[in-house]
Amino acid sequence: MKLQLVLWDWNGTLLDDVTLCVDALNRLLARYGYDRQYDLDGYRKIFGFPIRDYYLRAGFDFDRHSFDALAQSYMQDYVPASAACPLMPGAEQTLSRLQAAGKKQVILSASPIGTLRQQAGQRGLLPYFDRLLGLGDIYAKSKVELGLSYLAEERFDPDAAVMVGDSVHDFEVSRALGVRCVLYSGGHQPPEALAATGAPVVQSLSAAADWILRQD
């Protein structure tokens, strides 16, 4: 079936916040007295969802510091700093290309909806999207319920939709939604982790658009 809807992940897919997230993690570790620090490769190896599990892999001890306190502290650091994050290479051109091809585009993100609106709006991307779907709190739970509700509300056939993301979780979300999936290797998780899902893995957003348009 021809693809009509593109569900975009935001962080690490359209927004290049990977370096900021490494730095913010290291600042959080230092702020709470942990001596562990990560470089980019180390970060990409431990990152994943749920965020609570990722924090444990990073070395945080919830008996010493609650997940809620850590998440609040992280976001207080991350959100202001994220204003300086660039888009991923080719992001706006890819969105424009798919829009011109008649594709409906939606952001489906684990980010809080307010943060998502702010970040997309600051970069002038809102005209490309029919909807922004983000979570109601800062704890980055699953995107599945958001996506299922949207597809049901719009009465959209999952066979006509594709998820584009940069994480194994995005693949898991796509499976739960019953939609196709393309994974971008320039984000928060390494290519080998993405390839293990069996989904197509691309090195650029332009290549993701190529794959989507080939399905027509």
Side-chain angles (χ1 to χ4, degrees):
M1 179 181 290
K2 182 178 180 179
L3 289 172
Q4 300 172 342
L5 171 66
V6 183
L7 298 165
W8 286 100
D9 174 58
W10 177 243
N11 303 88
T13 301
L14 292 172
L15 181 70
D16 186 359
D17 66 348
V18 180
T19 298
L20 170 58
C21 289
V22 178
D23 292 343
L25 170 63
N26 286 333
R27 286 193 292 271
L28 188 67
L29 285 161
R31 191 177 307 131
Y32 282 86
Y34 296 87
D35 59 6
R36 190 177 303 189
Q37 294 281 283
Y38 290 90
D39 61 12
L40 176 60
D41 287 343
Y43 165 81
R44 294 180 92 205
K45 287 176 181 175
I46 65 166
F47 181 79
F49 292 87
I51 292 295
R52 178 183 289 272
D53 294 346
Y54 153 57
Y55 274 34
L56 290 174
R57 287 193 296 273
F60 292 105
D61 180 352
F62 294 159
D63 290 331
R64 290 174 56 194
H65 309 105
S66 74
F67 173 62
D68 287 2
L70 292 165
Q72 291 276 1
S73 182
Y74 179 91
M75 291 302 287
Q76 287 167 3
D77 181 7
Y78 169 85
V79 173
S82 71
C85 289
L87 293 172
M88 284 292 182
E92 186 163 7
Q93 297 92 321
T94 298
L95 294 171
S96 178
R97 181 181 172 196
L98 292 173
Q99 186 180 64
K103 307 302 181 187
K104 191 171 186 175
Q105 300 185 89
V106 169
I107 295 179
L108 176 58
S109 174
S111 290
I113 186 62
T115 303
L116 185 59
R117 289 195 189 105
Q118 177 182 337
Q119 291 179 331
Q122 286 171 339
R123 290 156 183 81
L125 297 185
L126 295 180
Y128 294 109
F129 299 107
D130 291 88
R131 187 86 66 87
L132 304 185
L133 301 174
L135 299 181
D137 60 37
I138 66 168
Y139 305 123
K141 298 171 188 172
S142 174
K143 300 182 277 193
V144 172
E145 289 184 8
L146 273 178
L148 288 173
S149 295
Y150 174 77
L151 291 174
E153 178 185 331
E154 296 293 318
R155 298 181 180 178
F156 214 96
D157 185 346
D159 286 339
V162 61
M163 179 88 201
V164 183
D166 70 308
S167 72
V168 171
H169 182 59
D170 291 315
F171 173 75
E172 294 168 347
V173 170
S174 75
R175 293 293 296 269
L177 299 181
V179 306
R180 282 174 270 186
C181 184
V182 180
L183 295 174
Y184 166 58
S185 65
H188 289 276
Q189 290 192 288
E192 56 270 22
L194 305 181
T197 67
V201 178
V202 295
Q203 296 182 340
S204 69
L205 296 182
S206 176
D210 291 343
W211 187 92
I212 291 166
L213 294 173
R214 281 200 302 270
Q215 310 312 303
D216 293 350

